[in-house]
Amino acid sequence: MIAFRVSVNGAKVCTAGVGPTGVLTIMVTRVAGSPEALLGDGDVRICGMASEPREFFLWPSRALRVGDEIGIEVLDVDTVDPPLKRMPGAESYRDTLLRQVRTALGAFAGPMLRDPRGQLATISRSARGLLSRTASAMARRALRPPGARAERAVLVELNSRRVCVAGVPRRGHVMSLITWAGPTGSGVPSHFWFSVYGRDARTDECLDWGRPALAVGDHISIRFARSREHDAPARRRGRPLAR
């Protein structure tokens, strides 16, 4: 079966696969100039959907910081790592959300009822830690020299050859999407989809840095970095917001 072996800074995260038919996707997202960017620089998420039986899979996600490097190998293997979560595909999106909310409420309500004072103290400590990290991040951002405030970027390589240095100044996000879709009953053959795109929140433009071809045996490297210069996107879509 087709699988993606994912590592962060050389440490394996998982080998993910869904079987002979289905969809397997990795999303690597880099954020800038948003509330999320104050607490982290981005994340990598791994998910998939098997066709028979129809199930949704989630593997462990990872928060990422500047300097982190994500490695993705495209493999053809017999076994993969079990997913962190499995969800029946027959569920509607609404049912899935309700089930997750009930699970989260149950996980919170049980300890709260057993030890309300201890749980409130834990929540208070977490809130203080969150505020402290947010304040520190805002202070670092304010003290950064003006010429260094637009440096968030992702450096993308395929088989050790540069694909692009993608980034958005000030506010927006950059995403690398790697997807494999298995053959379907309608005769559509299996195929890969590899793209680097983003959105400039200042102009509401969608940016596309390209869609390199991908095959079994390829290795993708995505590094979170700071760069004073970004490659110009191959395509821009949308129009500037009215001022």
Side-chain angles (χ1 to χ4, degrees):
M1 79 181 83
I2 299 298
F4 295 146
R5 180 180 294 157
V6 184
S7 62
V8 175
N9 300 327
K12 177 184 172 182
V13 175
C14 67
T15 298
V18 296
T21 59
V23 178
L24 182 63
T25 297
I26 298 175
M27 293 173 286
V28 181
T29 306
R30 181 87 156 88
V31 294
S34 67
E36 294 91 344
L38 293 173
L39 300 177
D41 295 307
D43 56 35
V44 55
R45 299 176 184 271
I46 309 152
C47 58
M49 182 183 72
S51 298
E52 297 178 5
R54 193 175 180 85
E55 285 185 298
F56 293 98
F57 299 148
L58 291 174
W59 283 269
S61 60
R62 289 290 179 88
L64 302 169
R65 293 282 189 179
V66 168
D68 286 344
E69 182 173 355
I70 306 96
I72 301 162
E73 296 178 77
V74 184
L75 307 172
D76 189 349
V77 298
D78 295 326
T79 60
V80 296
D81 295 331
L84 184 66
K85 292 182 181 179
R86 320 171 64 110
M87 294 171 285
E91 282 189 329
S92 68
Y93 183 65
R94 175 178 175 274
D95 291 339
T96 300
L97 288 179
L98 286 174
R99 182 170 55 79
Q100 291 176 343
V101 168
R102 291 192 191 101
T103 301
L105 287 175
F108 174 78
M112 180 62 76
L113 291 173
R114 289 193 297 269
D115 182 16
R117 182 174 295 180
Q119 290 299 308
L120 288 174
T122 300
I123 293 171
S124 177
R125 286 195 300 271
S126 299
R128 287 198 301 269
L130 178 62
L131 289 172
S132 176
R133 292 195 302 273
T134 303
S136 298
M138 292 179 69
R140 288 196 302 270
R141 187 176 176 186
L143 293 172
R144 200 175 297 154
R149 290 185 182 176
E151 296 181 348
R152 291 174 184 264
V154 292
L155 282 60
V156 184
E157 293 183 346
L158 176 59
N159 299 327
S160 301
R161 302 180 67 174
R162 170 173 162 161
V163 173
C164 64
V165 178
V168 289
R170 307 302 186 199
R171 292 189 297 120
H173 72 269
V174 176
M175 178 179 290
S176 296
L177 182 69
I178 301 101
T179 298
W180 171 81
T184 66
S186 58
V188 177
S190 63
H191 63 279
F192 289 99
W193 175 273
F194 175 26
S195 62
V196 183
Y197 63 95
R199 175 177 175 270
D200 189 335
R202 303 172 309 159
T203 62
D204 202 30
E205 285 182 302
C206 295
L207 313 175
D208 188 343
W209 280 270
R211 301 184 177 100
L214 203 60
V216 172
D218 284 344
H219 181 274
I220 302 164
S221 172
I222 302 171
R223 186 160 60 90
F224 279 23
R226 296 194 182 278
S227 175
R228 293 186 180 277
E229 296 183 3
H230 305 149
D231 293 338
R235 284 174 290 275
R236 292 176 179 265
R237 299 190 305 276
R239 55 193 178 93
L241 295 172
R243 298 185 182 279

